[in-house]
């Protein structure tokens, strides 16, 4: 199957790519539903379910693609997928929301999440550059340890906020709304979801590499465009629907949180499995991510919200970045 997808014709490769994205997204949804049901059955608090299973569920497509690429020694796809997804989440998902309706910025996002996301990107830049030019097994372990510490801190903060009766985030509400299914059905959902994620990740990596070869594109370019946008489409659709309903209170916080998860968890796992080679293009793209993060951070600080004009600027900057990576 892998060999067939890697060598099939261009039209078939595009069909396989679309099918791979479908399996990734549906697999992640089903996996999260089954896992959350089991967690609720054993009386795990909704806040913890939201910050672990549900929140990590949005990063499962990126994780599947990056880990599969790492196992297949197509490591440039792993890095460009994560960096491209982070830039897309930040500039397009949030930019689109801001164009539709002003996006309020939570205090914790400005003072805790934004600085930490910048630190994560800087750490990735340093580890990749000084590797030399690779993210090794030890670097992957460092990222995973940081991820565990960050997750522990988030859970502690959420439990404290819950005790004080404060808002605890959309993921916790989503976990609260999930129904408890019979245990056999929950286990079936987890198995089917995991199979969908693994199969989808494998098909996406192989079909994307096939398309890249046939079009004479680099794996970095494919990862930054087709793959990163495809794995981030669920977040875009969800955020746009929320924006149209004027329910985007946590939109920026969720995007920043997803970006932190992508760097620490996704690249941490991929790096721990197999060393990830860095290209100079990856270094430049991480610098672009840092610059974009600082620009959005400044926008957010001004009035503690992102307005339509700022959203339009974010979308234009992303368009300019797309033009740059296509011609470089």
């Amino acid at each position: 199957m892998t060999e067939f997808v890697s060598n099939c014709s261009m039209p078939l490769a595009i069909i396989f790519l679309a099918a791979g994205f479908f399996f990734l997204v549906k697999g992640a949804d089903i996996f999260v539903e089954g896992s959350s049901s089991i967690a609720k059955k054993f009386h795990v608090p909704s806040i913890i379910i939201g910050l672990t299973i549900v929140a990590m569920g949005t990063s499962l497509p990126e994780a599947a693609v990056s880990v599969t690429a790492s196992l297949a020694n197509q490591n440039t796809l792993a890095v460009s997928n994560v960096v491209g997804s982070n830039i897309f989440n930040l500039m397009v998902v949030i930019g689109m929301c801001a164009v539709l309706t002003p996006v309020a910025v939570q205090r914790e996002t400005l003072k805790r999440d934004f600085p930490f996301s910048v630190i994560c990107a800087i750490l990735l830049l340093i580890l990749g550059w000084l590797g030399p030019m690779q993210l090794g097994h030890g670097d992957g372990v460092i990222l995973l340890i940081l991820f565990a510490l960050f997750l522990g801190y988030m859970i502690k903060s959420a439990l404290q906020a819950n005790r004080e009766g404060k808002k605890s985030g959309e993921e916790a509400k989503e976990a609260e709304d999930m129904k408890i299914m019979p245990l056999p059905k929950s286990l079936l959902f987890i198995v089917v979801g995991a199979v969908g994620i693994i199969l989808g990740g494998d098909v996406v990596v192989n079909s994307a590499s096939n398309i890249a070869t046939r079009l004479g594109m680099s794996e970095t370019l494919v990862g930054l465009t087709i793959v990163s946008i495809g794995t981030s489409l669920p977040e875009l659709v969800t955020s746009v629907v929320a924006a149209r309903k004027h329910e985007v209170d946590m939109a920026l916080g969720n995007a920043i949180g997803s970006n932190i998860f992508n760097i620490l968890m996704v690249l941490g796992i991929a790096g721990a499995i197999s060393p990830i080679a860095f290209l100079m293009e990856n270094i430049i793209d991480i610098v672009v991510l840092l610059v974009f993060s600082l620009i959005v951070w400044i926008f957010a600080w001004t009035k503690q919200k992102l307005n339509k004009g700022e959203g339009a600027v974010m979308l234009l900057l992303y368009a300019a970045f797309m033009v740059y990576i296509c011609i470089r």
Side-chain angles (χ1 to χ4, degrees):
M1 178 68 177
T2 297
E3 192 173 334
F4 178 74
V5 175
S6 299
N7 298 306
C8 64
S9 63
M10 174 68 81
L12 265 180
I14 293 170
I15 292 170
F16 274 121
L17 185 67
F21 283 139
F22 174 78
F23 279 114
L24 271 178
V25 174
K26 288 306 295 180
D29 282 344
I30 293 169
F31 183 86
V32 166
E33 199 171 339
S35 303
S36 298
S37 177
I38 287 179
K40 286 183 75 67
K41 197 175 189 70
F42 288 99
H43 307 293
V44 177
S46 294
I47 291 173
I48 294 178
I49 298 171
L51 284 170
T52 54
I53 299 167
V54 176
M56 282 187 276
T58 61
S59 293
L60 280 177
E62 285 88 350
V65 170
S66 295
V67 170
T68 303
S70 183
L71 287 169
N73 291 320
Q74 294 167 319
N75 291 331
T76 51
L77 191 63
V79 179
S80 56
N81 173 41
V82 165
V83 177
S85 291
N86 282 12
I87 292 173
F88 186 86
N89 283 344
L90 190 64
M91 306 305 283
V92 178
V93 174
I94 301 305
M96 190 71 75
C97 286
V99 167
L100 293 171
T101 184
V103 176
V105 182
Q106 303 294 315
R107 201 171 181 182
E108 290 83 358
T109 302
L110 284 173
K111 293 190 173 181
R112 179 192 66 198
D113 301 340
F114 243 126
F116 191 65
S117 72
V118 171
I119 290 168
C120 289
I122 291 172
L123 179 63
L124 179 63
L125 184 68
I126 292 170
L127 292 176
W129 208 340
L130 301 181
M133 293 301 282
Q134 76 166 12
L135 198 70
H137 295 297
D139 300 326
V141 170
I142 289 171
L143 293 178
L144 287 174
I145 290 171
L146 275 175
F147 173 69
L149 292 172
F150 173 72
L151 199 58
Y153 173 76
M154 291 291 288
I155 290 170
K156 182 181 176 183
S157 299
L159 289 172
Q160 185 179 346
N162 193 48
R163 282 194 294 269
E164 293 171 1
K166 296 178 183 176
K167 277 181 72 176
S168 53
E170 287 178 2
E171 286 97 345
K173 184 179 182 298
E174 192 176 335
E176 187 75 52
D177 293 340
M178 284 183 174
K179 296 175 183 176
I180 299 177
M181 298 182 291
L183 189 59
K185 187 178 179 182
S186 298
L187 292 171
L188 179 65
F189 268 47
I190 290 172
V191 172
V192 171
V195 169
I197 292 165
I198 294 165
L199 179 65
D202 192 42
V203 171
V204 165
V205 169
N206 289 309
S207 55
S209 298
N210 186 349
I211 292 169
T213 302
R214 291 183 179 278
L215 293 178
M217 299 166 66
S218 67
E219 286 185 1
T220 301
L221 180 56
V222 173
L224 283 168
T225 53
I226 300 169
V227 179
S228 66
I229 292 171
T231 54
S232 296
L233 278 179
E235 285 95 331
L236 177 62
V237 173
T238 303
S239 296
V240 168
V241 170
R244 291 179 71 87
K245 293 179 180 178
H246 302 286
E247 296 172 357
V248 288
D249 284 354
M250 300 293 293
L252 183 59
N254 289 344
I256 298 299
S258 178
N259 286 4
I260 292 169
F261 275 42
N262 284 346
I263 290 175
L264 298 184
M265 182 185 79
V266 175
L267 286 182
I269 294 171
I273 291 172
S274 173
I276 302 174
F278 265 64
L279 302 175
M280 186 49 68
E281 286 91 339
N282 299 136
I283 300 296
I284 293 169
D285 296 334
I286 296 170
V287 171
V288 170
L289 172 61
L290 279 168
V291 171
F292 282 172
S293 297
L294 292 172
I295 289 171
V296 178
W297 196 6
I298 291 167
F299 283 167
W301 264 111
T302 50
K303 297 175 184 175
Q304 295 210 340
K305 70 176 181 179
L306 297 169
N307 58 37
K308 290 185 178 183
E310 290 163 340
V313 170
M314 290 160 67
L315 291 175
L316 286 172
L317 285 172
Y318 184 79
F321 174 66
M322 284 290 103
V323 172
Y324 161 69
I325 62 172
C326 287
I327 64 174
R328 73 181 175 189

